Amino acid sequence: MSEAVLELRNIARHYREGDARLDILVDVDLAIYPGETVALVAPSGAGKSTLLHIAGLLERADGGETLINSAPTSKMNDRERTSLRRSAIGFVYQFHHLLPEFSALENVVLPQMINGLGRKDAEGRAQQLLEYLRLGTRASHRPSELSGGEQQRVAIARAVANAPHLLLADEPTGNLDPRTAEHVFATLLTLARHSGLAALIATHNLDLAEQMDRRVTLRDGRVEELP
Ligand SMILES: Nc1ncnc2c1ncn2[C@@H]1O[C@H](COP(=O)(O)OP(=O)(O)OP(=O)(O)O)[C@@H](O)[C@H]1O
């Protein structure tokens, strides 16, 4: 088998609330391989967002190791982690978080320029991605001029703009009506499979989770495989 894109080893994370200590992640082990789509299905408060933030190098664990393409990240400094995150990891959130004053195209161009690509190449790739997501004619529109489903598709284009190896999504369709959610989710899965991405997607929607290659949950701070 090829090497894991994401590997979490013995990850622990707790928060403090006054004198109390909340052990959210106790001993999380998880590996995701290229082209694999994995659903993270767990009750509210179980620690899904915490796990995604640690996997995405947005937050540090209290113990254990996060490996991206086999590279351990816990001893990297913040600059190294940010640089790895920008090149290897894409994020989609429940709310699109697009920059309101920029067009759809510019929202997809910006992360590429931040990652060092020239404007012309970035615009070419952004246009191509938007067309692939059937948003070619909406490229010059600002987020407020797009429907919820279109906004979320632009957010997906932005997440994959730098051709990441790992796609992380936190309830990416949680804010959409069921039909739009189904459509956006199908788009996300097609894109992930087409690009050979490893994807970890937190969702409450069991129908959507069923469409993914594997399902895992969090129980008492540990990852368990679901049938
Ligand atoms: N910075 C923080 N400080 C203290 N407690 C926190 C912090 N972040 C999260 N928590 C707590 O940790 C627990 C797990 O939170 P997390 O957001 O990871 O859960 P979740 O499974 O994503 O939930 P949801 O499905 O509702 O988004 C919750 O009880 C939350 O209140």
Side-chain angles (χ1 to χ4, degrees):
M1 201 179 225
S2 52
E3 68 179 27
V5 176
L6 167 70
E7 192 176 346
L8 301 174
R9 280 190 200 154
N10 308 120
I11 291 291
R13 181 78 174 108
H14 65 263
Y15 297 115
R16 295 220 162 264
E17 227 171 43
D19 287 343
R21 175 180 148 139
L22 302 171
D23 286 299
I24 306 302
L25 304 179
V26 174
D27 188 5
V28 163
D29 285 310
L30 179 67
I32 306 183
Y33 293 85
E36 202 179 27
T37 59
V38 180
L40 176 58
V41 189
S44 186
K48 300 181 296 295
S49 300
T50 303
L51 188 154
L52 287 170
H53 290 165
I54 289 171
L57 310 182
L58 289 165
E59 198 175 315
R60 285 182 187 269
D62 299 310
E65 187 59 86
T66 300
L67 298 102
I68 304 290
N69 294 323
S70 300
T73 59
S74 65
K75 294 199 173 66
M76 289 182 179
N77 62 32
D78 289 347
R79 221 173 39 129
E80 291 167 327
R81 285 164 59 94
T82 300
S83 159
L84 180 57
R85 184 171 63 242
R86 283 190 183 138
S87 61
I89 304 172
F91 264 99
V92 183
Y93 300 93
Q94 178 171 359
F95 300 97
H96 57 77
H97 292 308
L98 296 171
L99 297 170
E101 68 275 28
F102 289 102
S103 70
L105 187 87
E106 286 162 336
N107 268 282
V108 185
V109 163
L110 275 174
Q112 299 179 76
M113 292 185 66
I114 290 170
N115 206 32
L117 205 66
R119 174 173 285 280
K120 210 157 168 266
D121 289 338
E123 283 180 353
R125 166 135 176 105
Q127 187 66 39
Q128 213 178 15
L129 270 172
L130 290 177
E131 274 161 24
Y132 181 81
L133 295 171
R134 287 189 279 133
L135 287 165
T137 58
R138 320 296 284 165
S140 62
H141 292 249
R142 291 183 183 198
S144 62
E145 299 162 341
L146 301 171
S147 72
E150 288 171 341
Q151 290 168 350
Q152 210 49 342
R153 270 148 58 215
V154 176
I156 292 169
R158 179 187 54 183
V160 300
N162 287 328
H165 299 129
L166 176 64
L167 183 68
L168 300 170
D170 198 352
E171 290 286 346
T173 59
N175 193 35
L176 304 173
D177 66 75
R179 254 190 67 206
T180 309
E182 179 75 38
H183 175 63
V184 168
F185 201 81
T187 306
L188 188 58
L189 281 192
T190 306
L191 186 66
R193 289 186 173 134
H194 177 81
S195 326
L197 281 169
L200 178 61
I201 304 179
T203 179
H204 283 115
N205 188 323
L206 294 177
D207 290 337
L208 300 182
E210 277 300 319
Q211 299 171 30
M212 302 181 64
D213 299 329
R214 271 164 63 203
R215 283 148 293 284
V216 298
T217 190
L218 277 166
R219 195 163 290 137
D220 300 329
R222 292 176 172 82
V223 165
E224 288 181 8
E225 298 279 333
L226 290 171

